């Protein structure tokens, strides 16, 4: 089984953020939305994506990270569909390479010359 298919979501998120920290283009941002374990703050909203993305071609977008077998929650579907109605890109991705490929398409990170080493 490929190693990336067993990466936990937290490891995927760490890899994606580190990729942006290394190869992110000027005036872009990839930031965690710290919903996990957050309690008591006004405005907490179930289903927000894992990462807020600013800049590039999209200006604003969201990435929902999942493991190979992760399942989108009902609240996550609701949030993604709201984004679609508003014309805000919100993409469900699996594993480590998919979200990085989206960041490349969105012009948030420099494109890799070759594939990432497995
Ligand atoms: Mg997630």
């Amino acid at each position: 089984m490929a190693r990336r298919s067993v990466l936990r979501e937290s490891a995927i998120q760490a890899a994606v953020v580190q990729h942006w920290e290394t190869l992110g283009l000027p005036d872009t941002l990839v930031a965690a939305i710290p919903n996990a374990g957050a309690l008591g703050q006004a405005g907490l909203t179930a289903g927000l994506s894992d990462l807020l993305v600013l800049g590039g071609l999209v200006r604003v977008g969201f990435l929902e990270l999942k493991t190979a077998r992760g399942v989108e929650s009902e609240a996550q579907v609701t949030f993604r569909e709201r984004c679609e109605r508003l014309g805000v890109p919100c993409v469900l991705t699996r594993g480590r390479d998919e979200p990085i490929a989206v960041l490349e398409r969105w012009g948030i990170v420099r494109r890799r010359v070759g594939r990432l080493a497995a």
Side-chain angles (χ1 to χ4, degrees), residues 9-10 13 48-51 63-67 70-72 76 92-93:
E9 202 176 293
S10 58
Q13 182 160 327
L48 296 184
S49 297
D50 296 301
L51 295 174
L63 285 182
E64 176 55 44
L65 309 173
K66 291 290 179 196
T67 62
V71 177
E72 204 176 24
Q76 288 169 341
L92 170 67
T93 59

Side-chain angles (χ1 to χ4, degrees), residues 24-55:
L25 291 162
D27 284 334
T28 63
L29 177 68
V30 174
I33 298 177
N35 257 16
L39 293 171
Q41 295 178 58
L44 277 178
T45 302
L48 296 184
S49 297
D50 296 301
L51 295 174
L52 164 69
V53 179
L54 296 180

Side-chain angles (χ1 to χ4, degrees), residues 103-116:
L103 292 177
E104 290 177 344
R105 282 203 307 276
W106 286 358
I108 303 298
V109 297
R110 286 196 292 280
R111 287 184 180 271
R112 297 161 291 180
V113 173
R115 298 276 299 156
L116 283 175

